[in-house]
Every structure is written in C-alpha cells, then in structure tokens.
Amino acid sequence: MDEPSSWTFTGIALPDGRRRDLHVVDGLIAPEAGPGARVVDADGLLALPGLVDLHTHLREPGQTEAETIATGTAAAARGGYTATLAMANTSPVTDSGARVRALRELAAASGKHGPSTEVVAIGSVTRALAGEELADLDSMLAVGVRVFSDDGFSVPTAGLVRAAMEALLPFDAVLAEHCQDPTLAGSSACCHEGEVSRDLGLHGWPSIAESVVIARDVQVAGYLGARLHLCHVSTAEGVEVLRWAKARGIRVTAEVMPHHLLLSVDDLRQSFEGGAGDTTYKVNPPLRPADDVEAVRQALADGTIDAVATDHAPHRPSDKDKPFPEAKPGMVAVEQALSVVVETMVDQGRLSWAQVADRMSHTPARIGALRQQGRPLVVGEPANLVVVDPSARTVVDRDRSLSLARNNPYHGRSLPDPVVATFWRGRQTFTRG
Ligand code: DOR
C-alpha cells in the first residue's frame, strides 16, 4: 500500500505541553486535514521537531561492512532523527568539494527511496585527516559545507586551528574540534586515566587531554572572533573551561554524547570482572568517573553544553573482537540517544520536553546551519517530526537494531523507548507499527 501523503494526529502534545490536532499535508505542517488523511489517535503522545545529529559516522564510502548511508540513516530515523551530519573520516576522507559532491550522490542513491534522513557532509579540517596541511576548505565552502572537523583526532597545532578559522570566518562556518591531546597519553591509551586504569593495568587518557585542547581553541576563537564547536565534551575540567569561555563571550558551542550522560568508567571496570573486558565500552573520549558524568549532565541542563549529538560509531565485529587496547574505539548510539536523554535528564526532572527539543533539534540545526531542520511545529514549516511516547520502556536488544553494527553499549539494559514514528518532509521514515 502506498504511504499516505496526509496525516492527522489528534490531541497530540507539543513540546510546551499544549495539545492540538497536528496535520501533515504534502510534506508540510498544514492548517487542516488533507484529503484522505490517515488519522492517528495521539492521546498521550508528544510531537517533537525531528532530531538533528551533529555527529554521526556513516562509514560510507569505504567502510560499508560497518555501516552504509542506507542503514545508518534508517537507524537514525529509528532514533527520531531527520538530519544526520556525516563525519569526514570515511575512505576516502571528505576533504574537498569533489568528495562532498560524491557523498551527496551516494546519499541520493542510497536505500529504496533515498536515505531515511537528510544527510549533510562535514568536511575535514586537514587533508586526509593527516594533521599536516589544511584540506581544500575553499572548494568545500563553495559547495555549501558549513561544519568542518578532523573528528577522531584533534587538529594538532594552534597554528592550523587559526588558519582554518580564518578561512571559515567569512562564511560563519564552524570548526568542530575533537578535544583529545595525544601527547598527554601513550599510544596504547584506551580508557580514562585514573583508579580504574591503574587497577586494570591499562594506559589511560587523562582528563586534561580534553581540557587543554578546549583551552587552546577557545583562545584562538576568541582572538579571531571565529566560531568553535566542541565535540563530545566528557570531563568536569572541559566544562569548566567552556564556562570560562562562554562567560567571556567567545563564540563557542558544545555537544555531549548519550554514553557520557549514562555510562561511566565503572561499567568498563565491571566488564573486566572475570573476563577480558567488553570492547564495546572502548570509546574516544573514554567513559569517565561519576563526577564527570554529573558535570556534563549539569552543563546540559543549564545550557553550558548546547546540544546532544551521538558520535554513532559503528564497527565491524572483527575490529572489536580484539584485546582491549587494540580494539577500535566507538559505540553505536543513534537509536537510543533520545532514550538515554529521557532516562538521565527528563525522568530526573533536569530537562523539560521543550528543552529536549532545543538541545536535540533547534540548537543543533542552528549550529549546523540547516535551514529546513529544527523548525517549530507550526503551519507552513516542513513536516520534520518525531512522535514520542514518553512512558514506553524496553530492554534494548542489539540484534533488533537497524544499524549494521552490534557494538551497542545499551544491549540488555531497560531504557525508555520513546520513538513511535519519525517523519522527514512528511514521509514516514520509521514506525514501530
Ligand atoms: O570512539 C570514537 N570513534 N571516537 C571518535 O572520535 C571517532 C569514532 C570512530 O570514527 O570510530
């Protein structure tokens, strides 16, 4: 059966708590029901603007055994997302205008009906992510790229950060920094440096590996008046420097990941009890102690951290089935991101639904300069929305994931299961049935 082009959700709640009938007609939010509209009794359900993920690893081109644009965006739609910003660390790296165009063509040709979310290319800061010379920023800016990141690595020097920011400034484009200075950790660092790493005999990343990069970059951004976005802030020290920079009016924004809101280095420790450790818990930046978890929750609640992004990092089993220090870092995140935010923030009374819409849709759309996303749910706007059941829960089963990857840290946990259906430009891209 053909998908209807008109939908009516009767009595649905909006993020501010008001209830009304919401009409979708031909891709837009409409003042009244369209002809032949599918009518859904939405009593007890909530509509949020479609979520926007500033930080996804789609792995295509080049690593399609781990994920493809089709599977990664299907998983994102399952998580309530209508836009996915695709990190540049593919093979080849997205480091020129030609590569951006090639990625867009791959996305347009993916899936049966195209991708399940808008796919937006992030360009690399340095050529091939090598940290030596700038990537072809001009050609990427010319084709509309507005977010640039060497994610996976920090841009190695203040000089390169400055040169990149000077190129981006006239376009109001943003450098999204991965904050992890490798010179403060050994090459086999694989978890947080502290009590747990010492007990387990592992090499760790100290908290200051994050905060020194933040301190360096906010100074450069402040000096130039340029924009800076901080990827996956995970430490109390990092939050402290971020607060300092914001108090001075430096144009910095920041994101936090679901796993840094819910999981801690204690989950890692437990996985080593009687075993070799679960490499699912290996991620960069690493899982931190409880004090850091509390610091990032607090910063998200008070707006110091602007957004939740996912760092969805699918890996092949063969890249994870290794001794802990050798396994690839990263965990899948996009299907359970909202679940984790509900568990750690909404159900704790630390974020309202309107603030969830802000941190996961409006603000990331603004940071990523996406004009058709993160819009209010009012007549005339694109019908990008997620229908939420605030009270549903489930036990996460990684084998029911729409992602190709199984490195899911929430497997076996009971979590909220809020996403009922997702609509992108009025097209239903996910339904739980
Ligand atoms: O754990 C991570 N994995 N952190 C990153 O920054 C990169 C990502 C990946 O690409 O696998």
Side-chain angles (χ1 to χ4, degrees):
M1 203 173 84
D2 278 349
E3 276 293 321
S5 63
S6 301
W7 297 79
T8 290
F9 302 94
T10 57
I12 201 161
L14 297 180
D16 64 8
R18 280 180 305 138
R19 290 183 63 195
R20 68 167 161 94
D21 296 347
L22 185 71
H23 308 288
V24 171
V25 181
D26 293 334
L28 298 176
I29 297 176
E32 55 192 44
R38 169 99 48 101
V39 180
V40 178
D41 176 2
D43 190 26
L45 303 180
L46 172 80
L48 295 179
L51 308 183
V52 174
D53 189 6
L54 280 170
H55 189 147
T56 318
H57 297 277
L58 286 177
R59 304 298 190 217
E60 189 176 356
Q63 301 140 16
T64 51
E65 280 174 57
E67 196 76 287
T68 66
I69 294 171
T71 58
T73 60
R78 163 79 180 81
Y81 287 89
T82 54
T84 304
L85 281 91
M87 271 298 171
N89 66 340
T90 47
S91 308
V93 172
T94 314
D95 63 0
S96 69
R99 296 262 167 83
V100 171
R101 279 200 300 269
L103 176 70
R104 289 176 182 160
E105 281 162 23
L106 276 177
S110 73
K112 236 199 298 179
H113 310 284
S116 298
T117 68
E118 183 173 350
V119 174
V120 180
I122 295 177
S124 71
V125 177
T126 68
R127 196 176 299 283
L129 301 176
E132 285 162 11
E133 54 176 334
L134 287 184
D136 192 352
L137 303 182
D138 290 344
S139 70
M140 291 191 275
L141 287 161
V143 297
V145 176
R146 290 295 177 268
V147 183
F148 293 82
S149 183
D150 272 7
D151 181 65
F153 308 102
S154 290
V155 179
T157 67
L160 274 170
V161 170
R162 175 183 183 158
M165 284 182 175
E166 283 174 342
L168 305 190
L169 192 50
F171 296 84
D172 215 29
V174 67
L175 190 155
E177 182 68 281
H178 176 116
C179 306
Q180 216 172 356
D181 184 333
T183 66
L184 286 167
S187 58
S188 56
C190 58
C191 62
H192 174 74
E193 180 176 292
E195 198 183 303
V196 174
S197 67
R198 282 190 286 278
D199 289 352
L200 296 174
L202 298 172
H203 290 124
W205 290 92
S207 303
I208 55 165
E210 177 167 287
S211 49
V212 296
V213 176
I214 298 178
R216 181 196 71 181
D217 284 13
V218 295
Q219 302 250 13
V220 180
Y223 182 70
L224 298 174
R227 288 180 63 202
L228 169 69
H229 178 70
L230 304 174
C231 296
H232 38 52
V233 174
S234 65
T235 61
E237 290 85 346
V239 168
E240 201 180 348
V241 182
L242 172 61
R243 278 192 214 287
W244 176 91
K246 285 195 160 185
R248 273 154 189 78
I250 292 169
R251 300 173 69 207
V252 57
T253 54
E255 67 191 28
V256 64
M257 298 318 178
H259 42 271
H260 293 127
L261 290 170
L262 180 68
L263 306 175
S264 78
V265 71
D266 294 328
D267 293 287
L268 176 72
R269 184 200 283 277
Q270 269 169 29
S271 84
F272 274 87
E273 278 166 13
D278 183 349
T279 60
T280 308
Y281 293 122
K282 181 172 173 183
V283 64
N284 275 335
L287 299 179
R288 303 292 189 181
D291 287 354
D292 293 303
V293 175
E294 177 51 30
V296 293
R297 287 184 184 183
Q298 171 71 46
L300 181 65
D302 70 23
T304 302
I305 292 180
D306 304 80
V308 176
T310 71
D311 201 1
H312 177 74
H315 286 300
R316 300 177 302 181
S318 57
D319 288 320
K320 281 291 196 183
D321 291 343
K322 294 192 166 173
F324 201 87
E326 290 158 37
K328 284 201 175 165
M331 38 180 69
V332 297
V334 80
E335 285 170 90
Q336 278 84 36
L338 186 59
S339 307
V340 170
V341 170
V342 175
E343 178 84 349
T344 59
M345 305 298 295
V346 180
D347 287 354
Q348 308 293 323
R350 300 183 84 159
L351 280 186
S352 66
W353 284 105
Q355 289 171 316
V356 171
D358 173 64
R359 310 293 196 273
M360 298 185 80
S361 179
H362 302 306
T363 296
R366 189 166 38 77
I367 293 169
L370 306 188
R371 288 207 193 86
Q372 301 295 311
Q373 301 278 349
R375 307 289 306 155
L377 296 175
V378 297
V379 170
E381 293 289 353
N384 298 327
L385 61 111
V386 49
V387 178
V388 161
D389 178 348
S391 59
R393 285 190 83 85
T394 195
V395 175
V396 177
D397 179 356
R398 65 183 165 212
D399 295 318
R400 297 180 60 196
S401 171
L402 298 178
S403 167
L404 281 185
R406 294 293 174 264
N407 51 311
N408 186 321
Y410 311 114
H411 179 65
R413 277 174 203 259
S414 169
L415 281 179
D417 187 20
V419 179
V420 175
T422 306
F423 293 83
W424 173 38
R425 299 190 301 206
R427 170 160 78 90
Q428 185 170 257
T429 48
F430 171 76
T431 174
R432 126 166 135 202

